[in-house]
């Protein structure tokens, strides 16, 4: 648990954008550690976890959008509003990275 507490504290210091000198002082006070290599390892772990959490949140957010759009597309198909359904499926494809950009209609290509 002590390691997890230190990593959480390091994440807070990173989020606060504290200078390394201040982080060293706080680590010495709170953890009893003054070795910069050890402190750097905790900071690296803290940064790595922060990135992982951001990516996980982004994926969850994208999944929520995809499910909502899929529901809209399904309802549009049920109501025989096919152009709306195709539009929703295009947005789903863009979010999922299947398409690199919006598809242009044939009228605009010419």
């Amino acid at each position: 648990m002590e390691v997890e507490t230190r990593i959480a504290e390091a994440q807070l210091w990173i989020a606060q954008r504290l200078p390394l000198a201040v982080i060293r002082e706080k680590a010495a006070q709170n953890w009893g550690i003054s070795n910069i290599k050890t402190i750097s390892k905790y900071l690296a772990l803290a940064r790595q976890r922060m990135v992982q959490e951001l990516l996980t949140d982004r994926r969850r957010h994208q999944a929520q959008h995809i499910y909502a759009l899929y529901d809209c597309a399904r309802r549009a198909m049920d109501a025989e509003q096919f152009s709306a359904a195709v539009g929703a499926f295009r947005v789903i494809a863009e979010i999922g990275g299947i398409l690199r950009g919006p598809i242009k209609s044939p009228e605009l290509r010419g």
Side-chain angles (χ1 to χ4, degrees), residues 4-15:
E4 293 298 322
T5 303
R6 288 179 181 175
I7 291 172
E9 206 166 5
Q11 286 177 325
L12 176 64
W13 297 337
I14 291 168

Side-chain angles (χ1 to χ4, degrees), residues 19-58:
L20 187 56
V22 174
I23 291 175
R24 279 183 83 175
E25 289 175 21
K26 288 184 173 276
Q29 290 172 356
N30 298 352
W31 306 342
I33 297 173
S34 58
N35 184 338
I36 191 64
K37 287 185 178 183
T38 305
I39 295 168
S40 294
K41 286 182 182 180
Y42 278 111
L43 291 173
L45 281 170
R47 284 187 194 99
Q48 182 181 14
R49 292 226 183 135
M50 291 170 85
V51 168
Q52 288 172 346
E53 289 169 6
L54 285 172
L55 290 174
T56 300
D57 287 347
R58 182 176 179 211

Side-chain angles (χ1 to χ4, degrees), residues 65-78 88 92:
H65 279 286
I66 289 171
Y67 288 129
L69 284 166
Y70 181 76
D71 187 51
C72 288
R74 187 184 49 75
R75 283 187 277 128
M77 293 282 287
D78 292 344
I92 290 170

